[in-house]
Amino acid sequence: MTRLLVTGGAGFIGSRICALARERGWTVRVLDALDPGVHASVPELPEGVELVRGSVTDPASVRAALAAVDVVSHQAAKVGLGVDFGDAPDYVATNVGGTAVLLAEMQACGVGSLVLASSMVVYGEGAYRSPGGRIVRPAPRQVADLEAGMFDPRDPGTGEPLTPALVDEDDAVDPRNVYATSKLAQEHLAANWARESGAAAIALRYHNVYGPGMPRDTPYAGVASIFRSALARGEAPQVFEDGRQRRSFIHVDDIAAANIAAVDAVLSDDAAAFRAFNVGSAHVHTIGDLAAALSDAVDGPPPEVTGRFRLGDVRHITASSERIREQLGWSEQHEFAAGMREFAHARLRD
């Protein structure tokens, strides 16, 4: 029987991983600090899940949680863009420092299998093609262009508009904010640990996750939660830029299923290895599509396209998830329209 530790297992994604693992008959333990800034109350975990209350930054808590486990699903992290650069020390301490503590304790305890929650943000801007078909990685967008309403990246050499394409795992990484930098650092630490410990690690680069139990609107929330919370207040979703930003929206239960597939894979790996996989929908939708779908589902006010922007946001990033389909046998099961109707009426996490 597989014995799984889920760090951050009381959270939005972690709790769904726990539920799916228990459905498979696995023994599941959670390590979670239950930060009151994230959890207004102690959440109810799936039946049979053991809770160790503690932080991944605390070696003693990590060591206790690792006792008699086979594999770790590392979901604990500070997420979102945050408020400003003043959040940087907290992101680094939690995401990078916590991962370093976890991996050091895993090595000491002889636990050699890891699934890491990573993110699409490690890529920066997504993949683009020039009018001539060349693959181009644009530079960060300029404030003057954004203020003028020119939101799409241009070829840095010719100034021509670029066509967005699907990003795959072999594309260059280019983190463009503190959160993204911390997620890439987690991947590098996991790769270092795998090589030095003879262990197996998989990083799952989540694209835009949504679904029941998503946290309510906070400065660290995703756009789906922000729109959903606005509609619950009777307000129109405020869509930044022109609403045409392209994304790969993926249901939380599909993310949980990807984690289960990755656990199976790292437990069966015979040699030290680090692998990264995109986990996103094959069907591209825009931020405007998301806002409209949620508004329509609750007969709410139509979205308002504001033209506002945030530095550090990327324009288009959509996933090629062919690698995880081919190598781990995963595929998305939740279609966008039905998923949005469900999410529009689902309970959010306080």
Side-chain angles (χ1 to χ4, degrees):
M1 179 187 296
T2 298
R3 298 170 297 181
L4 172 67
L5 171 65
V6 184
T7 71
F12 170 45
I13 295 173
S15 62
R16 297 305 305 150
I17 295 169
C18 291
L20 193 53
R22 287 294 298 149
E23 287 177 15
R24 293 191 62 171
W26 295 358
T27 298
V28 181
R29 180 181 296 142
V30 162
L31 173 65
D32 201 301
L34 300 181
D35 182 348
V38 177
H39 302 282
S41 59
V42 177
E44 184 177 346
L45 294 173
E47 185 176 355
V49 173
E50 177 189 356
L51 173 65
V52 175
R53 187 165 185 170
S55 171
V56 289
T57 63
D58 174 41
S61 296
V62 173
R63 197 172 309 123
L66 284 170
V69 303
D70 305 308
V71 57
V72 176
S73 174
H74 183 30
Q75 306 295 315
K78 188 174 179 68
V79 301
L81 285 181
V83 177
D84 54 36
F85 199 82
D87 283 328
D90 196 9
Y91 276 98
V92 172
T94 302
N95 297 356
V96 184
T99 300
V101 169
L102 173 66
L103 294 172
E105 293 300 326
M106 288 178 69
Q107 183 181 46
C109 294
V111 180
S113 300
L114 172 74
V115 177
L116 169 68
S118 188
S119 172
M120 66 178 189
V121 297
V122 300
Y123 296 112
E125 279 290 347
Y128 293 84
R129 294 185 183 275
S130 72
R134 292 183 301 110
I135 293 293
V136 178
R137 295 304 301 270
R141 296 181 292 170
Q142 300 299 306
V143 173
D145 285 346
L146 295 170
E147 289 177 339
M150 293 185 292
F151 301 117
D152 284 310
R154 294 179 290 177
D155 188 315
T158 68
E160 295 176 299
L162 298 172
T163 300
L166 299 181
V167 66
D168 68 34
E169 294 87 350
D170 293 327
D171 283 328
V173 291
D174 183 19
R176 296 187 176 184
N177 55 60
V178 171
Y179 172 61
T181 300
S182 74
K183 297 308 286 184
L184 184 57
Q186 286 183 309
E187 288 197 17
H188 288 320
L189 286 168
N192 297 156
W193 167 80
R195 283 192 298 269
E196 294 182 19
S197 301
I202 285 177
L204 299 177
R205 292 173 177 169
Y206 303 160
H207 284 248
N208 288 75
V209 187
Y210 72 93
M214 196 172 190
R216 294 185 186 278
D217 181 8
T218 76
Y220 309 96
V223 66
S225 175
I226 292 170
F227 290 166
R228 172 73 167 72
S229 296
L231 288 164
R233 297 190 299 268
E235 300 170 1
Q238 302 294 296
V239 180
F240 279 21
E241 300 186 16
D242 59 3
R244 296 174 185 163
Q245 307 94 307
R246 293 159 56 95
R247 297 291 187 268
S248 294
F249 296 103
I250 186 75
H251 194 282
V252 64
D253 286 343
D254 286 329
I255 292 287
N259 275 271
I260 297 300
V263 166
D264 286 338
V266 294
L267 286 174
S268 64
D269 280 351
D270 296 325
F274 172 83
R275 293 183 281 168
F277 295 94
N278 288 331
V279 188
S281 174
H283 305 286
V284 173
H285 292 87
T286 67
I287 299 292
D289 292 338
L290 169 69
L294 291 174
S295 293
D296 290 346
V298 297
D299 294 322
E304 295 178 2
V305 178
T306 68
R308 298 202 307 270
F309 60 88
R310 292 193 308 180
L311 290 177
D313 280 352
V314 298
R315 176 60 172 172
H316 303 298
I317 181 160
T318 51
S320 169
S321 296
E322 283 302 311
R323 181 176 293 180
I324 192 171
R325 279 190 281 271
E326 292 175 358
Q327 295 188 18
L328 303 190
W330 171 91
S331 62
E332 62 179 307
Q333 301 298 311
H334 293 75
E335 185 266 335
F336 178 81
M340 286 297 152
R341 287 193 297 271
E342 174 201 34
F343 177 56
H345 297 280
R347 178 181 176 274
L348 297 183
R349 184 180 292 260
D350 292 324

